[in-house]
Protein backbone atom coordinates (compact mmCIF):
# COMPACT_ATOMS: atom_id res chain seq x y z
CA UNK A 1 0.00 0.00 0.00
CA UNK A 2 1.51 3.30 -1.07
CA UNK A 3 0.79 6.17 1.26
CA UNK A 4 0.58 9.76 0.24
CA UNK A 5 3.31 11.76 2.01
CA UNK A 6 1.98 13.74 4.95
CA UNK A 7 4.23 16.72 4.35
CA UNK A 8 4.13 18.87 1.25
CA UNK A 9 6.75 18.64 -1.44
CA UNK A 10 9.32 21.36 -1.79
CA UNK A 11 7.33 23.82 -3.89
CA UNK A 12 4.37 21.44 -4.05
CA UNK A 13 1.91 21.81 -6.97
CA UNK A 14 -1.04 22.33 -4.63
CA UNK A 15 0.83 25.03 -2.73
CA UNK A 16 1.68 26.68 -6.04
CA UNK A 17 -1.97 26.61 -7.09
CA UNK A 18 -2.98 28.22 -3.77
CA UNK A 19 -0.50 31.06 -4.32
CA UNK A 20 -2.32 32.01 -7.53
CA UNK A 21 -5.91 31.30 -6.40
CA UNK A 22 -6.90 34.95 -6.56
CA UNK A 23 -5.20 35.74 -9.87
CA UNK A 24 -6.98 33.07 -11.95
CA UNK A 25 -10.58 32.69 -10.69
CA UNK A 26 -12.46 29.52 -11.45
CA UNK A 27 -15.64 30.14 -13.41
CA UNK A 28 -18.30 28.04 -15.04
CA UNK A 29 -20.52 27.75 -18.07
CA UNK A 30 -22.66 30.62 -16.86
CA UNK A 31 -19.88 32.62 -15.27
CA UNK A 32 -20.70 31.59 -11.71
CA UNK A 33 -17.66 31.24 -9.44
CA UNK A 34 -19.21 28.23 -7.71
CA UNK A 35 -18.77 25.74 -10.51
CA UNK A 36 -15.94 24.29 -12.47
CA UNK A 37 -15.51 25.51 -16.04
CA UNK A 38 -15.33 23.31 -19.10
CA UNK A 39 -11.84 21.74 -19.45
CA UNK A 40 -10.99 23.47 -22.74
CA UNK A 41 -11.79 26.91 -21.38
CA UNK A 42 -9.94 26.42 -18.10
CA UNK A 43 -6.98 24.70 -19.76
CA UNK A 44 -5.77 28.05 -21.09
CA UNK A 45 -6.45 30.17 -18.00
CA UNK A 46 -3.44 29.35 -15.88
CA UNK A 47 -0.91 31.04 -13.59
CA UNK A 48 2.47 32.00 -15.06
CA UNK A 49 4.44 29.07 -13.56
CA UNK A 50 2.13 26.61 -15.32
CA UNK A 51 2.78 28.37 -18.62
CA UNK A 52 6.54 28.25 -17.97
CA UNK A 53 6.33 24.49 -17.49
CA UNK A 54 4.09 24.14 -20.56
CA UNK A 55 6.62 26.01 -22.73
CA UNK A 56 9.48 23.83 -21.54
CA UNK A 57 7.29 20.75 -22.08
CA UNK A 58 6.69 21.85 -25.68
CA UNK A 59 10.42 22.16 -26.30
CA UNK A 60 11.07 18.86 -24.52
CA UNK A 61 8.75 16.99 -26.89
CA UNK A 62 10.30 18.83 -29.83
CA UNK A 63 13.41 16.84 -28.96
CA UNK A 64 11.63 13.60 -29.82
CA UNK A 65 10.28 14.61 -33.22
CA UNK A 66 13.21 16.66 -34.47
CA UNK A 67 15.23 13.49 -35.07
CA UNK A 68 12.74 12.11 -37.63
CA UNK A 69 13.67 14.24 -40.66
CA UNK A 70 17.42 13.78 -40.14
CA UNK A 71 17.48 9.99 -39.62
CA UNK A 72 18.14 9.26 -43.32
CA UNK A 73 20.74 12.07 -43.44
CA UNK A 74 22.55 10.71 -40.37
CA UNK A 75 22.41 7.25 -41.92
CA UNK A 76 23.97 8.50 -45.19
CA UNK A 77 26.53 10.99 -43.83
CA UNK A 78 27.80 8.87 -40.92
CA UNK A 79 27.75 5.57 -42.83
CA UNK A 80 25.14 4.03 -40.55
CA UNK A 81 22.40 1.55 -41.39
CA UNK A 82 18.75 2.48 -40.84
CA UNK A 83 18.74 0.15 -37.84
CA UNK A 84 21.69 2.01 -36.30
CA UNK A 85 20.07 5.37 -36.99
CA UNK A 86 16.85 4.30 -35.27
CA UNK A 87 18.88 3.42 -32.18
CA UNK A 88 18.87 7.18 -31.54
CA UNK A 89 15.30 6.59 -30.41
CA UNK A 90 16.10 3.34 -28.61
CA UNK A 91 18.88 4.60 -26.34
CA UNK A 92 16.85 7.69 -25.52
CA UNK A 93 13.69 5.71 -24.71
CA UNK A 94 15.37 2.92 -22.70
CA UNK A 95 17.01 5.36 -20.29
CA UNK A 96 13.84 7.47 -20.18
CA UNK A 97 11.78 4.39 -19.30
CA UNK A 98 14.11 3.22 -16.52
CA UNK A 99 14.48 6.69 -15.04
CA UNK A 100 10.73 7.31 -15.10
CA UNK A 101 10.20 4.75 -12.33
CA UNK A 102 12.32 6.81 -9.96
CA UNK A 103 11.46 10.39 -10.88
CA UNK A 104 8.78 10.66 -8.17
CA UNK A 105 11.39 9.55 -5.62
CA UNK A 106 13.84 12.16 -6.89
CA UNK A 107 11.30 14.99 -7.01
CA UNK A 108 10.04 14.18 -3.49
CA UNK A 109 13.54 14.85 -2.20
CA UNK A 110 14.67 17.69 -4.43
CA UNK A 111 11.31 19.36 -4.97
CA UNK A 112 9.46 20.09 -8.21
CA UNK A 113 11.46 23.16 -9.15
CA UNK A 114 14.90 21.63 -8.68
CA UNK A 115 13.93 18.43 -10.47
CA UNK A 116 12.60 20.36 -13.46
CA UNK A 117 15.76 22.49 -13.63
CA UNK A 118 18.12 19.50 -13.35
CA UNK A 119 16.22 17.69 -16.09
CA UNK A 120 16.40 20.70 -18.41
CA UNK A 121 20.09 21.23 -17.68
CA UNK A 122 20.86 17.61 -18.62
CA UNK A 123 18.91 17.93 -21.87
CA UNK A 124 20.78 21.11 -22.83
CA UNK A 125 24.14 19.48 -22.03
CA UNK A 126 23.55 16.28 -23.99
CA UNK A 127 21.86 18.01 -26.92
CA UNK A 128 24.98 20.14 -27.29
CA UNK A 129 27.09 16.97 -27.12
CA UNK A 130 24.99 15.40 -29.90
CA UNK A 131 25.57 18.43 -32.11
CA UNK A 132 29.35 18.01 -31.69
CA UNK A 133 29.43 14.23 -32.30
CA UNK A 134 31.53 12.63 -35.00
CA UNK A 135 29.87 9.21 -35.25
CA UNK A 136 26.45 7.64 -34.92
CA UNK A 137 27.70 5.70 -31.89
CA UNK A 138 28.49 8.93 -30.07
CA UNK A 139 25.04 10.34 -30.83
CA UNK A 140 23.40 7.13 -29.56
CA UNK A 141 25.35 7.45 -26.31
CA UNK A 142 24.59 11.15 -25.81
CA UNK A 143 20.92 10.54 -26.57
CA UNK A 144 20.85 8.17 -23.57
CA UNK A 145 21.92 11.04 -21.31
CA UNK A 146 19.32 13.21 -23.02
CA UNK A 147 16.71 10.60 -22.10
CA UNK A 148 17.67 10.82 -18.42
CA UNK A 149 17.13 14.58 -18.42
CA UNK A 150 13.87 14.26 -20.30
CA UNK A 151 12.59 11.64 -17.85
CA UNK A 152 13.23 13.90 -14.88
CA UNK A 153 11.50 16.77 -16.62
CA UNK A 154 8.55 15.08 -18.35
CA UNK A 155 7.28 13.04 -15.42
CA UNK A 156 7.63 15.92 -12.98
CA UNK A 157 6.06 18.37 -15.44
CA UNK A 158 2.93 16.24 -15.89
CA UNK A 159 2.27 15.87 -12.17
CA UNK A 160 3.17 19.55 -11.55
CA UNK A 161 0.77 20.81 -14.23
CA UNK A 162 -2.03 18.50 -13.06
CA UNK A 163 -1.52 19.64 -9.46
CA UNK A 164 -1.12 23.37 -10.10
CA UNK A 165 -3.48 24.02 -13.03
CA UNK A 166 -7.11 25.07 -12.83
CA UNK A 167 -10.00 23.05 -14.22
CA UNK A 168 -9.20 19.69 -12.61
CA UNK A 169 -7.10 16.96 -14.17
CA UNK A 170 -9.04 17.09 -17.47
CA UNK A 171 -8.19 20.73 -18.14
CA UNK A 172 -4.58 20.26 -17.04
CA UNK A 173 -4.09 17.22 -19.24
CA UNK A 174 -5.54 19.10 -22.22
CA UNK A 175 -2.88 21.77 -21.67
CA UNK A 176 -0.17 19.12 -21.27
CA UNK A 177 -1.25 17.23 -24.38
CA UNK A 178 -1.48 20.50 -26.32
CA UNK A 179 2.13 21.24 -25.34
CA UNK A 180 3.02 17.70 -26.40
CA UNK A 181 1.23 18.09 -29.74
CA UNK A 182 2.77 21.45 -30.52
CA UNK A 183 6.21 20.13 -29.60
CA UNK A 184 5.71 17.06 -31.75
CA UNK A 185 4.58 19.29 -34.64
CA UNK A 186 7.22 21.99 -34.41
CA UNK A 187 10.03 19.52 -33.66
CA UNK A 188 10.00 17.78 -37.06
CA UNK A 189 9.55 21.09 -38.87
CA UNK A 190 12.48 22.63 -37.01
CA UNK A 191 14.44 19.43 -37.58
CA UNK A 192 13.70 19.57 -41.31
CA UNK A 193 14.61 23.25 -41.68
CA UNK A 194 17.78 23.08 -39.58
CA UNK A 195 18.65 19.63 -40.89
CA UNK A 196 18.51 20.96 -44.45
CA UNK A 197 21.58 23.01 -43.50
CA UNK A 198 23.27 20.33 -41.38
CA UNK A 199 22.16 17.32 -39.37
CA UNK A 200 23.85 18.99 -36.37
CA UNK A 201 21.49 21.97 -36.51
CA UNK A 202 18.42 20.38 -34.86
CA UNK A 203 20.45 19.29 -31.84
CA UNK A 204 21.94 22.75 -31.41
CA UNK A 205 18.52 24.39 -31.84
CA UNK A 206 16.98 22.17 -29.17
CA UNK A 207 19.78 23.01 -26.75
CA UNK A 208 19.12 26.74 -27.23
CA UNK A 209 15.34 26.42 -26.78
CA UNK A 210 15.74 24.18 -23.74
CA UNK A 211 18.09 26.77 -22.31
CA UNK A 212 15.30 29.33 -22.67
CA UNK A 213 12.90 26.95 -20.92
CA UNK A 214 15.46 26.51 -18.13
CA UNK A 215 15.67 30.27 -17.63
CA UNK A 216 11.87 30.58 -17.72
CA UNK A 217 11.37 28.12 -14.87
CA UNK A 218 14.36 29.52 -12.98
CA UNK A 219 12.85 33.01 -13.05
CA UNK A 220 9.08 32.40 -12.98
CA UNK A 221 8.58 29.25 -10.92
CA UNK A 222 8.53 30.34 -7.25
CA UNK A 223 11.12 29.11 -4.78
CA UNK A 224 9.92 27.06 -1.88
CA UNK A 225 9.27 28.84 1.39
CA UNK A 226 9.74 25.56 3.28
CA UNK A 227 13.02 23.86 4.25
CA UNK A 228 13.99 20.87 2.16
CA UNK A 229 14.00 18.53 5.14
CA UNK A 230 10.25 19.03 5.53
CA UNK A 231 9.53 17.54 2.14
CA UNK A 232 7.40 14.42 2.01
CA UNK A 233 9.57 11.61 0.65
CA UNK A 234 8.36 8.95 -1.74
CA UNK A 235 9.87 5.46 -1.31
CA UNK A 236 12.50 4.51 -3.89
CA UNK A 237 10.44 1.72 -5.47
CA UNK A 238 7.03 3.39 -5.04
CA UNK A 239 6.35 3.61 -8.79
CA UNK A 240 7.25 -0.05 -9.35
CA UNK A 241 5.04 -1.17 -6.46
CA UNK A 242 2.27 1.05 -7.81
CA UNK A 243 1.93 -1.35 -10.74
CA UNK A 244 0.36 -3.74 -8.24
CA UNK A 245 -2.76 -1.61 -8.60
CA UNK A 246 -4.92 -3.48 -11.15
CA UNK A 247 -6.24 -0.33 -12.85
CA UNK A 248 -2.80 1.22 -13.27
CA UNK A 249 -1.31 -2.09 -14.40
CA UNK A 250 -4.05 -2.54 -17.00
CA UNK A 251 -3.69 0.95 -18.48
CA UNK A 252 0.12 0.80 -18.39
CA UNK A 253 0.06 -2.48 -20.34
CA UNK A 254 -2.31 -0.91 -22.86
CA UNK A 255 0.16 1.97 -23.18
CA UNK A 256 3.08 -0.47 -23.63
CA UNK A 257 1.53 -2.08 -26.71
CA UNK A 258 0.10 1.19 -28.03
CA UNK A 259 3.48 2.91 -27.86
CA UNK A 260 5.05 0.08 -29.82
CA UNK A 261 2.77 1.07 -32.69
CA UNK A 262 3.29 4.79 -32.03
CA UNK A 263 7.07 4.57 -32.37
CA UNK A 264 6.93 2.24 -35.36
CA UNK A 265 5.29 5.14 -37.15
CA UNK A 266 7.57 7.78 -35.62
CA UNK A 267 10.97 6.07 -35.83
CA UNK A 268 10.57 3.77 -38.84
CA UNK A 269 8.40 5.76 -41.27
CA UNK A 270 11.10 8.18 -42.57
CA UNK A 271 12.86 5.28 -44.29
CA UNK A 272 9.91 3.80 -46.27
CA UNK A 273 8.87 7.36 -47.17
CA UNK A 274 12.34 7.97 -48.60
CA UNK A 275 12.23 4.68 -50.53
CA UNK A 276 8.73 5.38 -51.87
CA UNK A 277 9.90 8.80 -53.05
CA UNK A 278 12.89 7.21 -54.77
CA UNK A 279 10.57 4.76 -56.58
CA UNK A 280 8.43 7.71 -57.69
CA UNK A 281 11.53 9.58 -58.87
CA UNK A 282 11.02 12.41 -56.37
CA UNK A 283 13.63 13.92 -54.05
CA UNK A 284 12.44 13.73 -50.46
CA UNK A 285 14.99 15.31 -48.13
CA UNK A 286 15.03 16.60 -44.58
CA UNK A 287 12.73 19.55 -45.29
CA UNK A 288 10.08 17.43 -47.00
CA UNK A 289 10.14 14.86 -44.20
CA UNK A 290 9.88 17.69 -41.70
CA UNK A 291 6.72 18.96 -43.39
CA UNK A 292 5.11 15.50 -43.33
CA UNK A 293 5.69 15.11 -39.61
CA UNK A 294 4.74 18.73 -39.02
CA UNK A 295 1.30 17.86 -40.41
CA UNK A 296 1.27 14.78 -38.16
CA UNK A 297 2.03 16.93 -35.09
CA UNK A 298 -0.58 19.53 -35.98
CA UNK A 299 -3.21 16.78 -36.11
CA UNK A 300 -1.92 15.52 -32.76
CA UNK A 301 -2.41 18.96 -31.19
CA UNK A 302 -5.84 19.56 -32.74
CA UNK A 303 -7.46 16.37 -31.50
CA UNK A 304 -5.69 16.54 -28.12
CA UNK A 305 -7.31 19.90 -27.38
CA UNK A 306 -10.48 19.85 -29.49
CA UNK A 307 -11.85 16.37 -30.14
CA UNK A 308 -10.61 14.34 -27.18
CA UNK A 309 -12.47 16.31 -24.46
CA UNK A 310 -15.73 16.11 -26.42
CA UNK A 311 -15.48 12.36 -27.03
CA UNK A 312 -14.40 11.47 -23.50
CA UNK A 313 -17.29 13.44 -22.04
CA UNK A 314 -19.86 12.03 -24.49
CA UNK A 315 -18.66 8.42 -24.68
CA UNK A 316 -16.46 7.99 -21.61
CA UNK A 317 -12.72 7.39 -21.43
CA UNK A 318 -12.65 3.65 -22.06
CA UNK A 319 -14.97 3.71 -25.15
CA UNK A 320 -12.94 6.60 -26.56
CA UNK A 321 -9.72 4.60 -26.18
CA UNK A 322 -11.34 1.58 -27.87
CA UNK A 323 -12.51 3.70 -30.83
CA UNK A 324 -9.06 5.28 -31.18
CA UNK A 325 -7.30 1.91 -31.08
CA UNK A 326 -9.59 0.46 -33.78
CA UNK A 327 -8.94 3.45 -36.05
CA UNK A 328 -5.16 3.28 -35.47
CA UNK A 329 -5.11 -0.43 -36.32
CA UNK A 330 -6.93 0.28 -39.59
CA UNK A 331 -4.53 3.08 -40.47
CA UNK A 332 -1.49 0.88 -39.79
CA UNK A 333 -2.99 -1.64 -42.18
CA UNK A 334 -3.24 1.08 -44.84
CA UNK A 335 0.43 1.93 -44.29
CA UNK A 336 1.40 -1.73 -44.68
CA UNK A 337 -0.56 -2.11 -47.92
CA UNK A 338 0.66 1.21 -49.38
CA UNK A 339 4.24 1.16 -48.11
CA UNK A 340 5.67 1.69 -51.64
CA UNK A 341 3.09 4.28 -52.72
CA UNK A 342 4.30 7.78 -51.86
CA UNK A 343 0.91 9.59 -51.71
CA UNK A 344 -0.58 6.80 -49.59
CA UNK A 345 2.22 6.59 -47.07
CA UNK A 346 2.64 10.36 -46.78
CA UNK A 347 -1.09 10.90 -46.39
CA UNK A 348 -1.45 8.11 -43.83
CA UNK A 349 1.50 9.27 -41.73
CA UNK A 350 0.40 12.91 -41.75
CA UNK A 351 -3.23 12.12 -40.88
CA UNK A 352 -2.35 9.59 -38.18
CA UNK A 353 -1.62 12.46 -35.80
CA UNK A 354 -5.37 13.03 -35.50
CA UNK A 355 -5.81 9.54 -34.07
CA UNK A 356 -2.71 9.58 -31.89
CA UNK A 357 -3.75 12.90 -30.34
CA UNK A 358 -7.13 11.47 -29.39
CA UNK A 359 -5.55 8.33 -27.97
CA UNK A 360 -2.82 10.13 -26.01
CA UNK A 361 -5.20 12.48 -24.24
CA UNK A 362 -7.84 9.86 -23.41
CA UNK A 363 -5.29 7.33 -22.15
CA UNK A 364 -3.35 9.86 -20.07
CA UNK A 365 -6.53 11.19 -18.49
CA UNK A 366 -7.66 7.63 -17.75
CA UNK A 367 -4.40 6.87 -15.95
CA UNK A 368 -4.61 10.00 -13.82
CA UNK A 369 -8.22 9.31 -12.77
CA UNK A 370 -8.40 5.50 -12.57
CA UNK A 371 -6.67 5.02 -9.21
CA UNK A 372 -6.45 6.70 -5.80
CA UNK A 373 -2.64 6.70 -6.05
CA UNK A 374 -0.73 9.99 -5.79
CA UNK A 375 -0.50 11.36 -9.31
CA UNK A 376 3.27 11.80 -9.38
CA UNK A 377 3.68 8.09 -8.56
CA UNK A 378 1.03 6.99 -11.06
CA UNK A 379 2.63 9.19 -13.71
CA UNK A 380 6.10 7.73 -13.08
CA UNK A 381 4.89 4.13 -13.29
CA UNK A 382 2.74 4.67 -16.38
CA UNK A 383 5.41 6.65 -18.22
CA UNK A 384 8.12 4.11 -17.44
CA UNK A 385 6.11 1.24 -18.90
CA UNK A 386 4.93 3.09 -21.99
CA UNK A 387 8.40 4.32 -22.96
CA UNK A 388 9.66 0.75 -22.87
CA UNK A 389 7.16 0.05 -25.63
CA UNK A 390 8.76 2.74 -27.78
CA UNK A 391 12.25 1.44 -27.03
CA UNK A 392 11.30 -2.08 -28.12
CA UNK A 393 9.66 -1.08 -31.40
CA UNK A 394 12.34 1.43 -32.44
CA UNK A 395 14.99 -1.27 -31.94
CA UNK A 396 13.00 -4.05 -33.63
CA UNK A 397 11.44 -2.26 -36.63
CA UNK A 398 14.67 -1.94 -38.64
CA UNK A 399 15.86 -5.55 -38.28
CA UNK A 400 12.31 -6.83 -38.88
CA UNK A 401 12.09 -4.91 -42.15
CA UNK A 402 15.58 -6.06 -43.16
CA UNK A 403 14.80 -9.78 -42.82
CA UNK A 404 11.21 -9.64 -44.11
CA UNK A 405 9.60 -6.78 -46.06
CA UNK A 406 9.20 -3.04 -45.64
CA UNK A 407 5.54 -3.55 -44.74
CA UNK A 408 6.14 -5.98 -41.87
CA UNK A 409 6.80 -3.38 -39.11
CA UNK A 410 3.38 -1.88 -39.85
CA UNK A 411 1.70 -5.28 -39.69
CA UNK A 412 3.47 -5.84 -36.37
CA UNK A 413 2.03 -2.50 -35.24
CA UNK A 414 -1.47 -3.75 -36.11
CA UNK A 415 -0.88 -6.76 -33.86
CA UNK A 416 0.37 -4.51 -31.04
CA UNK A 417 -2.71 -2.29 -31.26
CA UNK A 418 -4.95 -5.38 -31.20
CA UNK A 419 -3.17 -6.60 -28.05
CA UNK A 420 -3.62 -3.16 -26.45
CA UNK A 421 -7.36 -3.34 -27.09
CA UNK A 422 -7.56 -6.91 -25.79
CA UNK A 423 -5.79 -5.96 -22.55
CA UNK A 424 -8.15 -3.01 -22.12
CA UNK A 425 -11.29 -5.09 -22.59
CA UNK A 426 -10.06 -7.90 -20.31
CA UNK A 427 -9.09 -5.40 -17.61
CA UNK A 428 -12.15 -3.16 -17.88
CA UNK A 429 -13.54 -4.51 -14.60
CA UNK A 430 -10.68 -2.71 -12.82
CA UNK A 431 -11.65 0.67 -14.28
CA UNK A 432 -14.93 1.30 -12.47
CA UNK A 433 -13.72 4.70 -11.22
CA UNK A 434 -13.75 5.88 -14.84
CA UNK A 435 -17.29 4.63 -15.46
CA UNK A 436 -18.62 6.81 -12.63
CA UNK A 437 -17.48 9.96 -14.41
CA UNK A 438 -20.24 9.60 -17.00
CA UNK A 439 -22.86 10.22 -14.31
CA UNK A 440 -21.25 13.24 -12.66
CA UNK A 441 -22.07 16.90 -13.11
CA UNK A 442 -19.14 19.18 -13.87
CA UNK A 443 -18.96 20.28 -10.21
CA UNK A 444 -19.22 16.75 -8.79
CA UNK A 445 -16.67 15.50 -11.30
CA UNK A 446 -14.19 18.15 -10.18
CA UNK A 447 -14.74 17.13 -6.54
CA UNK A 448 -14.22 13.46 -7.38
CA UNK A 449 -11.02 14.26 -9.24
CA UNK A 450 -9.78 16.29 -6.30
CA UNK A 451 -10.46 13.43 -3.89
CA UNK A 452 -8.65 11.01 -6.17
CA UNK A 453 -5.50 13.11 -5.95
CA UNK A 454 -5.26 12.64 -2.18
Amino acid sequence: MIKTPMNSDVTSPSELRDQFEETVPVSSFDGSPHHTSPPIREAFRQPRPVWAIAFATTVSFMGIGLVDPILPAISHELNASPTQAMLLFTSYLVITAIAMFFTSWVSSRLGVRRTLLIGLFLVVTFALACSASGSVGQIIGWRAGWGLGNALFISTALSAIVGAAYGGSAGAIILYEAALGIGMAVGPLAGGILGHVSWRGPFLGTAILMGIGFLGILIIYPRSTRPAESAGQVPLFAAIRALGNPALRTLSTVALFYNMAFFVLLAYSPFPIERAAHIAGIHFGELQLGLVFFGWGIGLAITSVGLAPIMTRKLGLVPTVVVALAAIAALMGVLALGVHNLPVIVGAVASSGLLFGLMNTALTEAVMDATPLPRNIASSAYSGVRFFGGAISSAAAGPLAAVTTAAMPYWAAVVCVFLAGLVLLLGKRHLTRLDRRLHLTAEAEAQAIGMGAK
Side-chain angles (χ1 to χ4, degrees):
M1 178 77 178
I2 296 173
K3 297 181 179 179
T4 305
M6 295 299 294
N7 297 322
S8 295
D9 189 8
V10 180
T11 318
S12 70
S14 60
E15 181 183 5
L16 174 64
R17 180 176 58 219
D18 293 341
Q19 295 177 24
F20 291 87
E21 188 71 38
E22 296 181 358
T23 62
V24 185
V26 178
S27 57
S28 69
F29 290 97
D30 58 3
S32 170
H34 303 295
H35 301 279
T36 301
S37 296
I40 297 177
R41 182 178 176 184
E42 284 302 313
F44 298 100
R45 299 181 61 190
Q46 305 296 347
R48 288 191 304 160
V50 172
W51 282 111
I53 299 172
F55 170 78
T57 300
T58 299
V59 180
S60 177
F61 280 102
M62 283 176 61
I64 299 176
L66 71 85
V67 175
D68 273 299
I70 59 174
L71 284 179
I74 289 176
S75 179
H76 298 320
E77 295 187 29
L78 297 181
N79 297 316
S81 67
T83 297
Q84 290 175 312
M86 280 187 281
L87 288 178
L88 270 68
F89 277 101
T90 304
S91 63
Y92 170 91
L93 293 169
V94 166
I95 300 302
T96 297
I98 295 172
M100 280 289 186
F101 287 108
F102 306 101
T103 52
S104 57
W105 175 77
V106 173
S107 64
S108 74
R109 282 155 174 77
L110 299 181
V112 171
R113 183 175 185 270
R114 290 179 184 173
T115 306
L116 292 172
L117 290 174
I118 291 172
L120 289 171
F121 176 79
L122 290 175
V123 172
V124 170
T125 300
F126 288 108
L128 286 173
C130 286
S131 70
S133 297
S135 70
V136 70
Q138 290 179 0
I139 302 176
I140 291 170
W142 295 131
R143 283 278 288 179
W146 188 333
L148 174 61
N150 233 31
L152 289 171
F153 176 80
I154 289 175
S155 183
T156 307
L158 176 57
S159 59
I161 287 179
V162 169
Y166 294 94
S169 70
I173 290 169
I174 289 171
L175 179 61
Y176 180 83
E177 292 293 344
L180 183 155
I182 294 170
M184 286 289 200
V186 177
L189 183 62
I193 294 172
L194 297 175
H196 188 65
V197 178
S198 169
W199 63 263
R200 301 178 190 273
F203 297 121
L204 182 60
T206 298
I208 293 172
L209 289 173
M210 275 299 207
I212 295 172
F214 177 91
L215 292 176
I217 292 178
L218 183 68
I219 296 170
I220 298 174
Y221 202 103
R223 291 179 179 272
S224 172
T225 57
R226 304 184 181 191
E229 54 267 20
S230 71
Q233 295 188 346
V234 173
L236 178 61
F237 297 105
I240 295 175
R241 291 204 298 270
L243 292 172
N245 181 283
L248 181 61
R249 185 172 61 248
T250 295
L251 293 173
S252 297
T253 306
V254 171
L256 174 75
F257 288 117
Y258 160 66
N259 271 264
M260 288 182 184
F262 182 93
F263 278 96
V264 163
L265 184 133
L266 196 62
Y268 173 66
S269 293
F271 295 100
I273 289 176
E274 185 187 45
R275 283 194 294 271
H278 179 74
I279 293 172
I282 298 173
H283 173 72
F284 223 83
E286 298 85 357
L287 183 58
Q288 289 77 18
L289 281 172
L291 289 172
V292 171
F293 283 96
F294 174 68
W296 172 84
I298 289 294
L300 198 80
I302 289 173
T303 51
S304 294
V305 178
L307 181 60
I310 296 172
M311 288 192 64
T312 56
R313 191 168 285 274
K314 295 289 186 182
L315 301 179
L317 286 170
V318 172
T320 299
V321 170
V322 171
V323 169
L325 286 173
I328 290 169
L331 185 137
M332 288 294 178
V334 171
L335 282 167
L337 293 172
V339 70
H340 298 302
N341 187 306
L342 183 61
V344 170
I345 191 170
V346 166
V349 168
S351 62
S352 68
L354 296 168
L355 301 177
F356 287 127
L358 174 63
M359 180 67 182
N360 285 348
T361 297
L363 190 56
T364 302
E365 189 174 338
V367 169
M368 300 306 274
D369 289 345
T371 78
L373 295 169
R375 284 186 175 136
N376 60 334
I377 295 175
S379 173
S380 293
Y382 163 73
S383 298
V385 174
R386 74 186 179 101
F387 276 112
F388 267 122
I392 293 169
S393 64
S394 60
L400 181 61
V403 299
T404 57
T405 66
M408 192 55 65
Y410 293 123
W411 288 124
V414 173
V415 174
C416 289
V417 173
F418 172 80
L419 291 174
L422 182 63
V423 169
L424 181 65
L425 294 176
L426 291 176
K428 190 177 184 299
R429 66 184 185 277
H430 302 306
L431 307 178
T432 55
R433 286 171 61 96
L434 300 179
D435 294 335
R436 290 199 297 268
R437 292 184 62 204
L438 287 174
H439 307 290
L440 297 176
T441 64
E443 182 177 11
E445 180 180 340
Q447 292 173 349
I449 288 171
M451 291 177 63
K454 297 179 182 178

